[in-house]
Amino acid sequence: MSGLEACLFDLDGVIVDTAKYHFIAWRQLADELGFVFTERDNERLKGVSRQRSLDILLEVGGLSLSEDAKAKLAAKKNGIYLDYIRKMTPDEILPGAQEFLWEFKAAGLKTALATASKNSALILDLLKIRPLFDVVVDGNKVSRTKPDPEVFLKCAEELGVEPKRCVVFEDAEAGIEAALAAGMFSVGIGDPAILKKAHIVAPGLGGISLEEVVLAFDPGKDRA
Ligand code: BG6
Ligand code: MG
């Protein structure tokens, strides 16, 4: 199939609409700290680890805090986030995502979840979608956050597939940069004006077919 062997999926904002809960929780923290945090600011937090997200949030607010204070704030944010997450049901899987993944698996392609989140096991259980993935690499398994390619390279290694045979589905700018740094083909999920560096962009997994991905995937492209 045109050299394509594996599909790597980000979780938050690609498979499930948790991106909105991350935003709500960070905005609540900013409110309490006394500054405004906008959706535009939030784009910078997508795809990056909780610790890095907090650093960016504090930069937006012009605040500098001790490591101890930061650890408390990160734990607080996660508490707010988990209050939303624990109420989630499979209805919150984004439209078309499950069907899309099963289509890939049926075509003999390998699938992996590649996320910065440390809450992925809970989310996969609540949504009952663990069987969709041959491999899961999350924030507990990597030490460097996107845009570093570590999470994607680890997926390729665990799947036993060369990076250039992988396609990445990502809603974050940092995630697209990480995919490119890994030498992988990237499909941006969301707004083409934001995901300018992606090879192709779709509004959601329900808005693109396996055939379109296979056609766009160019094994002749000189990727690392
Ligand atoms: C990414 C999200 O998937 O996971 C980021 O896009 C988030 O916004 C990161 O900060 C870490 O998530 P968690 O669940 O470990 O706080
Ligand atoms: Mg995401």
Side-chain angles (χ1 to χ4, degrees), residues 10-14 19 46-47 115 146 169-172:
D10 174 47
L11 176 66
D12 296 315
V14 171
K46 288 186 180 173
T115 174
K146 300 169 188 174
F169 296 85
E170 253 296 346
D171 71 320

Side-chain angles (χ1 to χ4, degrees), residues 106-188:
L109 294 161
K110 294 180 179 171
T111 57
L113 187 76
T115 174
S117 176
K118 293 187 173 175
N119 293 307
S120 75
L122 172 67
I123 296 171
L124 292 179
D125 280 353
L126 285 170
L127 302 181
K128 306 186 196 325
I129 54 171
R130 179 65 184 81
L132 286 173
F133 304 100
D134 297 313
V135 152
V136 172
V137 178
D138 71 5
N140 299 299
K141 277 196 182 176
V142 294
S143 53
R144 296 187 296 275
T145 191
K146 300 169 188 174
D148 188 284
E150 184 184 12
V151 67
F152 294 130
L153 292 175
K154 200 158 176 40
C155 284
E157 189 189 320
E158 289 198 15
L159 288 171
V161 171
E162 285 179 282
K164 68 180 178 187
R165 306 272 174 226
C166 299
V167 57
V168 169
F169 296 85
E170 253 296 346
D171 71 320
E173 277 181 282
I176 296 294
E177 283 169 20
L180 298 178
M184 298 177 179
F185 189 80
S186 62
V187 180

